[in-house]
C-alpha cells in the first residue's frame, strides 16, 4: 500500500514548496507595496487605507452584521414571549406575528449581488448556448446573425441600463410583485452584456468539431438532436466553458457598475453609498468591498473551472 511518504520524492517536495511559497512571497510583496503607497497618499478623508485599516474595517462590518441579526432575534423573542402571555390569559386570543427587517448590512449586499449575477448569468447562458450551437452548425445562420452579435457585443452596460429600466417599468406592473423591479433591471442588464462570449465561443467550438466525428454521426444516421447531444456538445465543451468563464467574469463586473449607477441593492450600491457618505471610515470600507468583489470573482471562475472538469468527457485534458 502506497503511503504519503512514498510520494514525497525530492522533486515532489520541491514542487510542493514552490506551490506554497511563491504565492506567499507574491502576496507579501503586494502587501508591502500597498502599505508604502498608502502611507504616501493623503486624501480629503485622510490617508489611503492600508492593509491593517482594511482588516479593521472588515472586522467592523462583521460586527455590524452580527449586531443587526441579534437585534432582529431579540425582537422576535420579545414578540414570542408577548404572544405566549396573551395566549396564556386567553387561549382564543388573536395573536399576530410581525416580520422584522434589519438594516441592510454589507453581507446582505453580497448575498443580493450574488443572487442577481447568478440569475442574469443563467438567463444569458440559456439564450447563448442554443443560439451558439445553431450558428455553429449552420454557416448561413452564422452569416445572418454575426453582424448583430458584433454590433451589440461592444455596447456598454451603462448604455443598456436606461433602456432596460424603462422596459421593465413599462412591462412589469403588479400590485404584489414576486421580485423587485431593481432585481429585474440588474438581472437583464447583466444578461444582455454577458451572453456574447458564451455565444461566440459556443459557435466556434461547435464549428470546430472534428470532421471524423461528423462522419461517424453520418454513418450512424443520427438524428439532428442526437447528433448535437452525442457528438457536438461533448466535443465543444471546452470552448463552451471558455465562453462561460468569460461571461461570468463580465457579468460580475457589469453588475457592480449597474448597481452603482442605478442605485439598485448590492455591492455596487454599498460602494457608492460609502463614497457619498464621506466619513473617515469610508475609504477603508470601499477597499474592503473592492477586495471582496475581486475574491468573489475569483471564486466564481474557480467554480466554473471545477464544473468544466466534472462535465468534460476527456478527463486527461489540461484545464486551467
Amino acid at each position: 500500500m502506497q503511503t504519503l511518504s512514498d510520494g514525497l520524492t525530492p522533486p515532489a517536495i520541491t514542487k510542493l514548496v514552490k506551490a506554497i511559497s511563491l504565492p506567499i512571497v507574491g502576496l507579501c510583496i503586494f502587501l508591502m507595496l500597498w502599505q508604502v503607497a498608502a502611507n504616501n497618499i493623503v486624501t480629503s478623508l485622510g490617508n489611503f487605507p492600508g492593509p491593517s485599516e482594511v482588516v479593521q474595517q472588515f472586522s467592523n462590518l462583521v460586527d455590524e452584521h452580527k449586531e443587526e441579526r441579534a437585534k432582529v432575534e431579540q425582537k422576535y423573542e420579545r414578540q414570542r414571549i408577548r404572544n405566549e402571555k396573551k395566549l396564556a390569559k386567553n387561549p382564543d386570543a388573536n395573536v399576530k406575528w410581525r416580520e422584522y427587517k434589519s438594516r441592510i448590512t454589507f453581507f446582505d449586499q453580497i448575498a443580493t449581488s450574488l443572487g442577481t449575477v447568478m440569475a442574469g448569468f443563467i438567463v444569458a447562458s440559456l439564450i447563448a448556448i442554443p443560439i451558439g450551437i445553431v450558428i455553429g452548425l449552420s454557416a448561413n445562420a452564422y452569416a445572418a446573425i454575426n453582424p448583430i452579435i458584433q454590433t451589440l457585443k461592444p455596447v456598454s452596460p451603462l448604455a443598456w441600463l436606461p433602456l432596460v429600466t424603462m422596459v421593465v417599468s413599462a412591462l412589469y406592473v403588479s400590485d404584489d410583485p414576486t421580485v423587485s423591479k431593481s432585481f429585474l433591471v440588474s438581472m437583464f442588464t447583466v444578461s444582455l452584456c454577458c451572453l456574447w462570449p458564451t455565444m461566440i465561443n459556443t459557435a466556434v467550438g461547435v464549428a470546430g468539431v472534428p470532421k471524423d466525428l461528423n462522419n461517424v454521426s453520418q454513418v450512424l444516421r443520427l438524428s439532428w438532436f442526437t447528433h448535437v447531444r452525442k457528438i457536438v456538445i461533448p466535443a465543444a465543451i471546452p470552448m463552451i466553458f471558455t465562453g462561460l468563464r468569460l461571461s461570468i467574469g463580465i457579468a460580475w463586473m457589469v453588475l457592480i457598475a449597474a448597481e452603482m449607477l442605478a442605485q439598485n441593492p448590492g455591492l455596487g450600491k454599498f460602494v457608492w453609498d460609502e463614497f457619498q457618505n464621506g466619513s473617515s471610515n469610508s475609504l477603508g470600507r470601499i477597499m474592503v468591498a473592492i477586495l471582496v468583489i475581486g475574491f468573489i470573482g475569483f471564486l466564481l471562475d474557480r467554480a466554473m473551472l471545477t464544473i468544466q472538469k466534472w462535465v468534460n468527457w476527456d478527463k486527461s485534458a489540461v484545464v486551467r
Side-chain angles (χ1 to χ4, degrees):
M1 180 179 178
Q2 189 176 11
T3 62
L4 181 62
S5 59
D6 294 334
L8 293 178
T9 58
I13 294 174
T14 303
K15 187 177 180 181
L16 180 63
V17 170
K18 282 186 177 180
I20 296 174
S21 62
L22 290 179
I24 293 176
V25 170
L27 181 62
C28 291
I29 294 174
F30 170 74
L31 292 176
M32 184 180 66
L33 294 176
W34 177 10
Q35 185 62 59
V36 170
N39 292 337
N40 292 280
I41 298 176
V42 180
T43 71
S44 59
L45 300 178
N47 280 358
F48 189 83
S52 58
E53 170 68 12
V54 170
V55 171
Q56 179 61 46
Q57 292 304 324
F58 181 77
S59 176
N60 293 341
L61 290 170
V62 173
D63 292 339
E64 288 176 9
H65 181 76
K66 291 180 178 177
E67 288 175 6
E68 290 299 321
R69 291 294 177 270
K71 287 179 182 177
V72 172
E73 290 179 2
Q74 290 171 2
K75 289 180 180 178
Y76 280 123
E77 180 64 18
R78 286 198 297 269
Q79 184 173 218
R80 185 185 65 79
I81 295 173
R82 187 169 58 249
N83 288 342
E84 286 181 354
K85 289 181 178 178
K86 189 180 290 186
L87 289 173
K89 291 180 180 178
N90 180 12
D92 297 328
N94 183 21
V95 296
K96 296 181 180 179
W97 186 261
R98 296 178 55 189
E99 294 287 340
Y100 294 104
K101 291 184 178 179
S102 64
R103 186 170 63 88
I104 297 176
T105 67
F106 176 66
F107 295 94
D108 294 327
Q109 302 283 31
I110 292 176
T112 301
S113 289
L114 279 174
T116 307
V117 76
M118 291 313 300
F121 174 71
I122 290 171
V123 169
S125 301
L126 292 176
I127 296 171
I129 293 176
I131 294 178
I133 291 173
V134 170
I135 64 177
L137 289 173
S138 170
N140 292 333
Y142 179 81
I145 295 179
N146 186 50
I148 300 173
I149 296 174
Q150 300 305 327
T151 302
L152 297 179
K153 182 167 64 70
V155 177
S156 164
L158 305 183
W160 280 116
L161 190 59
L163 192 63
V164 173
T165 302
M166 296 299 293
V167 171
V168 170
S169 299
L171 299 180
Y172 188 63
V173 180
S174 172
D175 296 331
D176 185 21
T178 306
V179 294
S180 65
K181 287 183 180 179
S182 61
F183 171 80
L184 292 177
V185 169
S186 297
M187 184 191 75
F188 286 127
T189 304
V190 167
S191 300
L192 282 170
C193 296
C194 79
L195 62 84
W196 310 114
T198 299
M199 189 182 295
I200 293 171
N201 280 277
T202 301
V204 172
V206 170
V209 173
K211 193 174 181 181
D212 290 344
L213 293 178
N214 288 324
N215 291 336
V216 170
S217 178
Q218 290 177 354
V219 170
L220 296 176
R221 296 184 179 180
L222 298 179
S223 66
W224 190 86
F225 286 104
T226 305
H227 170 68
V228 170
R229 186 167 58 88
K230 296 284 188 181
I231 303 294
V232 172
I233 292 179
I237 273 182
M239 288 301 294
I240 292 174
F241 270 89
T242 298
L244 289 173
R245 289 175 65 187
L246 291 172
S247 289
I248 193 72
I250 292 174
W252 188 235
M253 287 191 294
V254 166
L255 176 66
I256 302 302
E259 290 172 344
M260 289 184 68
L261 183 64
Q263 287 293 285
N264 291 337
L267 277 171
K269 186 176 187 303
F270 174 85
V271 172
W272 186 253
D273 287 347
E274 288 297 333
F275 174 69
Q276 294 293 321
N277 183 16
S279 72
S280 58
N281 296 328
S282 292
L283 289 180
R285 288 170 175 252
I286 291 174
M287 201 64 203
V288 171
I290 290 172
L291 293 177
V292 169
I293 290 169
F295 185 65
I296 291 175
F298 170 74
L299 292 181
L300 291 174
D301 182 74
R302 294 298 96 178
M304 292 303 302
L305 188 64
T306 303
I307 297 173
Q308 180 180 358
K309 290 179 179 177
W310 181 56
V311 302
N312 198 352
W313 62 272
D314 186 4
K315 301 301 180 186
S316 63
V318 177
V319 180
R320 62 182 64 177

